[in-house]
Amino acid sequence: MPLSADDRREACVGKTTAELDSLAARGVRAGGNAFSPILVCKGELTAEEAGGAEPFSGADGAALKASLKALGYAPEEWAWLLTCDDSGSAPLGPALFREAVCALDPATLVCCDDAAAAAVREAYAEDLTIIEDFNEAMLEPGYVVPVCGIRVLNLGGFAAALDDPRAKQQMWARLKRVAPLSEPY
């Protein structure tokens, strides 16, 4: 008996919910739209976030949301993932981080800080070794690198750049490199 579109959709939602619940039980903090094409990662928490505030609820989150919307992503079309534990003191293990990225299955992964880029380097080390360009293989800020079918961009200190107009422009120039792959909303 063939499955209806609603049955397939329900199965996908159930699978993703189970995967994310399992990850949360093991200390992974993620949020946003689990079916979005863009995943934003950070490993350096603000004092408020380390104290329990929702990640990306401050100035960095507002700036990211505005930037993604200006690029053509729908306002609800992004997810976030912390590459560290709740306190911000210990990084997620590479296998756990990679599992979380696979569960969210983004088309684009944006690293907002050096800690997030380090997590991607560690989790995808073997995949990065086959990249010929050294700067791309090291996920240097500003390069868009294909890793396991995902576009990866390291912004290189997004939150810190918000206080400097020139650095802020540089972040915008980098973000423009990962415009939506489909038509804007």
Side-chain angles (χ1 to χ4, degrees):
M1 177 174 193
L3 291 175
S4 70
D6 288 339
D7 290 338
R8 283 192 298 269
R9 189 175 304 112
E10 189 175 316
C12 287
V13 169
K15 175 186 175 290
T16 302
T17 300
E19 289 173 341
L20 294 176
D21 287 348
S22 170
L23 288 164
R26 291 180 280 155
V28 175
R29 284 188 62 197
N33 181 352
F35 297 101
S36 68
I38 190 161
L39 175 62
V40 181
C41 297
K42 77 186 297 187
E44 298 168 9
L45 302 181
T46 64
E48 293 81 17
E49 291 167 341
E54 180 84 7
F56 295 103
S57 61
D60 61 340
L64 272 170
K65 288 175 189 174
S67 297
L68 294 175
K69 184 176 180 183
L71 286 172
Y73 290 96
E76 71 282 355
E77 199 171 45
W78 70 301
W80 58 265
L81 173 66
L82 294 184
T83 64
C84 59
D85 63 9
D86 286 343
S87 68
S89 59
L92 294 178
L96 188 57
F97 174 73
R98 190 171 175 140
E99 182 181 344
V101 171
C102 287
L104 292 165
D105 192 27
T108 304
L109 187 151
V110 176
C111 301
C112 290
D113 52 41
D114 292 332
V120 173
R121 277 188 216 100
E122 190 173 357
Y124 293 93
E126 190 173 320
D127 304 293
L128 291 168
T129 62
I130 62 172
I131 297 174
E132 292 184 19
D133 183 280
F134 181 75
N135 292 320
E136 289 180 3
M138 293 304 296
L139 297 178
E140 291 295 324
Y143 289 88
V144 178
V145 183
V147 180
C148 296
I150 303 170
R151 296 185 303 172
V152 178
L153 169 66
N154 176 11
L155 290 175
F158 183 80
L162 297 178
D163 295 330
D164 177 8
R166 183 175 163 100
K168 201 170 166 182
Q169 287 179 337
Q170 185 179 46
M171 293 298 136
W172 172 240
R174 289 176 181 170
L175 276 169
K176 287 195 289 188
R177 295 179 184 150
V178 292
L181 295 170
S182 60
E183 293 184 31
Y185 76 100

